[in-house]
């Protein structure tokens, strides 16, 4: 990692710690909307002020322009910010007891001037449980960072800060945090493997929009045109949906096709006719509350009726239903989806394999998620397996066991660095491409023919196929190792006896006997 990145990460961490100190007794779930709303407000205000100065001084093409004309800002794809919502105005009121109402009024004024933001911005700042002195301190803190001017945009300061804060709030919220955030390591693996260069990108349970942001970043990093992808999404949690729309808006991504309704993608699919080129999703694991009993005759269940007690195979079939004729998808699910034989799941999995839909299965290591300890995997499903620019790979599936890949970020969370991402994604690309130099690696990856999968009763757990990695010989003779280990054991047994005697004596001194 470069010194520049280290410096930026240090800045993000410092900023979050300072913001978290001002949280006091407020729940992280509530507080995140307050902080992220202010960061959003600061960003659009910075962007506005940047253009405002050019319009006021008549710089270049802006001669004779009116800096208070909203159309001037719309023409540059910048949100118009009314006077009472500008950061300079709010900052001057930060120490007043009315600051909560002032920020709420600012949010309302911005929505009135910018219809695309209607119903998106949080109005939670006048709440009695929000300490107004702490809110003033938070405004001072956020006010010290430039995140919307040209220099900050070029370094993507806002993107880094917003993403870091989302991750930290997900960590603080534990299980609930998973409703709006998928760890960056997992999203990067998915995006790098399916390569969404151009076309329609869909996420039926989009959370805070991480899949879309990473797709945009992928296109830009590979010298593509961001306008070559269009995004479609759905989210059933309204507060999470608002986070997503703000997350997209601050990056200039059109979020008009990201929809919200309380029923969710199963009961009220807002993109019924969509055929997506790329689908990326991290749905709730083993969701038993998905109203499956109401959807027994749904046309999406082309490969079997999913059990009412678990939505895993409903999600997969919903996404397959929305895949274009050459579409590819990546979906994170619990490992149980690879081997379960109960309630028709084994039969649906068999149908997927026999219909040549499953392209690759990646087993993920533990501790990547903030919200669950359940072991997880990624299903890669493709309608391009007969060729279409790649190698014809019908009748075979690539299994990757990434259980040992990655390193610990802290005591409880693991992450993938660039080399880890390349190791997994690169293996898939080598296997998939016509002139690839793919080779099976014991314990890590194996290309498996349909006949072998049938012998294993269509169980798709990678460990069953890739085998166990050979242990490296450290050159120390067995006799030498066993002598050292028995010596250590002898010391430990002696110490155990000593401690047991000490405990016995201590108990006897207060009238108890063992």
């Amino acid at each position: 990692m470069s010194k520049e990145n280290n410096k930026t990460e240090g800045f993000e961490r410092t900023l979050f710690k300072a913001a978290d100190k001002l949280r006091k007794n407020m729940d992280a779930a509530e507080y995140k909307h307050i902080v992220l709303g202010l960061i959003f407000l600061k960003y659009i205000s910075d962007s506005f002020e940047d253009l405002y100065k050019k319009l006021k001084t008549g710089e270049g093409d802006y001669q004779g322009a009116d800096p208070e004309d909203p159309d001037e800002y719309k023409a540059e794809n910048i949100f118009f910010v009314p006077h009472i919502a500008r950061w300079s105005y709010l900052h001057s009121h930060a120490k007043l007891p009315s600051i909560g109402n002032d920020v709420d009024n600012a949010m309302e004024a911005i929505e009135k001037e910018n219809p695309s933001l209607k119903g998106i911005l949080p109005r939670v700042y006048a709440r009695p449980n929000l300490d107004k002195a702490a809110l003033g301190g938070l405004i001072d803190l956020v006010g010290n960072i430039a995140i919307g001017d040209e220099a900050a945009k070029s370094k993507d300061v806002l993107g880094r800060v917003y993403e870091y804060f989302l991750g930290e709030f997900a960590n603080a919220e534990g299980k609930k945090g998973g409703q709006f955030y998928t760890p960056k390591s997992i999203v990067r693996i998915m995006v790098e493997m399916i390569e969404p260069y151009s076309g329609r990108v869909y996420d039926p349970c989009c959370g805070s929009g991480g899949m879309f942001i990473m797709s945009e970043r992928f296109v830009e990093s590979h010298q593509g045109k961001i306008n070559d992808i269009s995004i479609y999404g759905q989210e059933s949690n309204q507060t999470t949906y608002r986070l997503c729309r703000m997350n997209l808006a601050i990056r200039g991504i059109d979020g008009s096709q990201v929809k919200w309704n309380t029923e969710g993608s199963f009961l009220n699919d807002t993109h019924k006719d969509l055929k997506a080129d790329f689908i990326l999703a991290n749905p709730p694991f083993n969701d038993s509350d998905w109203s499956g009993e109401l959807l027994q005759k749904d046309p999406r269940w082309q490969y079997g009726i999913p059990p009412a007690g678990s939505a895993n195979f409903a999600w997969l079939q919903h996404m397959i239903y929305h895949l274009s004729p050459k579409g590819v998808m990546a979906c994170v699910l619990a490992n149980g989806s690879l081997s379960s034989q109960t309630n028709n799941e084994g039969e649906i999995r068999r149908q997927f394999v026999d219909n040549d839909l499953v392209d690759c299965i990646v087993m993920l290591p533990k501790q990547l998620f903030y919200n669950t300890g359940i072991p997880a995997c990624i299903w890669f499903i493709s309608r391009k397996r007969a060729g279409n620019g790649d190698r014809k790979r019908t009748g075979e599936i690539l299994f990757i066991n990434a259980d040992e890949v990655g390193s610990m970020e802290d005591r409880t969370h693991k992450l993938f660095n660039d080399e880890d991402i390349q190791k997994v994604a690169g293996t898939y690309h080598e296997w998939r491409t016509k002139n690839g130099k793919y080779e099976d690696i014991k314990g890590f990856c194996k290309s498996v023919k349909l006949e072998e999968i049938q012998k294993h009763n269509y169980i798709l757990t990678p460990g069953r196929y890739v085998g166990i990695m050979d242990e490296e010989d450290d050159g120390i003779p067995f006799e030498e190792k066993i002598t050292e280990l028995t010596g250590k054991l002898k010391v430990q047994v002696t110490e155990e006896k000593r401690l047991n005697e000490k405990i016995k004596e201590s108990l006897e001194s207060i009238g108890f006997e063992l």
Side-chain angles (χ1 to χ4, degrees), residues 182-195 211 279-283 285 312-313 316 319 328-338 349 352 357-366 368-369 374-382 397-403 405 416 420-421 424-425 428 431 460-463:
T182 304
K184 187 163 66 173
S185 289
I186 297 171
V187 183
R188 281 191 65 196
I189 283 274
M190 295 164 77
V191 169
E192 289 289 340
M193 285 177 74
I194 72 170
E195 300 180 306
M211 301 290 182
I279 298 178
L280 296 145
N282 173 25
F285 291 177
N312 290 341
F313 283 87
L316 286 172
M319 293 176 217
V328 292
M329 61 173 261
C331 177
V332 186
L333 284 178
N335 280 355
S337 63
L338 302 172
R349 190 170 54 250
F352 288 170
L357 289 166
V358 184
D359 206 35
C360 177
I361 300 289
V362 175
M363 177 83 77
L364 295 170
K366 295 175 184 175
L368 280 178
F369 288 91
I374 297 173
C377 61
I378 309 174
W379 287 68
F380 290 89
I381 284 176
S382 175
I397 297 174
L398 176 65
F399 291 95
I400 298 177
N401 184 5
D403 196 34
V405 178
F416 292 149
D420 299 325
I421 302 285
V424 178
Y428 174 63
W431 175 79
L460 302 181
T461 308

Side-chain angles (χ1 to χ4, degrees), residues 406-457:
S407 54
M408 297 304 292
E409 179 184 20
D410 52 43
R411 286 188 301 107
T412 54
H413 297 124
K414 203 170 197 180
L415 54 71
F416 292 149
N417 60 26
D418 291 347
E419 288 179 13
D420 299 325
I421 302 285
Q422 178 53 40
K423 180 178 180 180
V424 178
T427 298
Y428 174 63
H429 294 153
E430 290 287 353
W431 175 79
R432 193 185 70 186
T433 54
K434 284 180 180 177
N435 300 315
K437 298 174 182 176
Y438 170 82
E439 288 183 6
D440 291 342
I441 300 172
K442 192 175 180 184
F444 177 64
C445 62
K446 186 176 181 182
S447 183
V448 180
K449 298 290 185 185
L450 176 60
E451 295 75 25
E452 188 176 349
I453 294 165
Q454 288 170 333
K455 285 177 188 174
H456 286 278
N457 202 20

Side-chain angles (χ1 to χ4, degrees), residues 463-511:
R464 185 168 288 224
Y465 301 99
V466 303
I468 299 170
M469 199 176 297
D470 291 330
E471 286 191 24
E472 288 184 22
D473 186 1
D474 57 11
I476 302 172
F478 174 76
E479 292 78 7
E480 193 176 321
K481 277 185 186 176
I482 202 70
T483 302
E484 183 185 350
L485 289 170
T486 51
K488 285 181 180 177
L489 181 61
K490 186 177 179 181
V491 171
Q492 288 170 355
V493 168
T494 303
E495 179 65 6
E496 182 187 13
K497 283 182 181 178
R498 187 186 69 79
L499 290 172
N500 284 341
E501 283 300 318
K502 198 168 183 181
I503 291 167
K504 186 179 177 184
E505 288 172 12
S506 298
L507 288 171
E508 286 174 351
S509 70
I510 55 173

Side-chain angles (χ1 to χ4, degrees), residues 39-40 43-44 79 158 162 245-252:
I39 290 173
F40 177 83
Y43 173 81
I44 64 170
F79 295 111
L158 173 77
Y162 206 87
R245 289 296 303 274
M246 284 194 289
N247 203 5
L248 296 173
I250 55 185
R251 289 170 168 86

Side-chain angles (χ1 to χ4, degrees), residues 353-359 382-387 391-397 431 447-451:
V353 174
D354 284 348
N355 282 277
D356 221 44
L357 289 166
V358 184
D359 206 35
S382 175
R383 293 196 188 276
K384 294 175 63 179
R385 287 164 54 77
R391 178 179 69 83
K392 184 177 179 181
R393 53 199 187 279
T394 52
E396 59 182 301
I397 297 174
W431 175 79
S447 183
V448 180
K449 298 290 185 185
L450 176 60
E451 295 75 25

Side-chain angles (χ1 to χ4, degrees), residues 240-281:
T240 303
Y241 163 75
R242 286 172 173 165
L243 279 180
C244 177
R245 289 296 303 274
M246 284 194 289
N247 203 5
L248 296 173
I250 55 185
R251 289 170 168 86
I253 301 174
D254 178 13
S256 60
Q257 291 303 317
V258 177
K259 306 294 186 180
W260 163 76
N261 61 50
T262 53
E263 297 97 330
S265 291
F266 291 133
L267 290 177
N268 187 357
D269 184 358
T270 58
H271 299 289
K272 285 186 176 67
D273 300 322
L274 173 68
K275 294 300 178 185
D277 303 293
F278 304 96
I279 298 178
L280 296 145

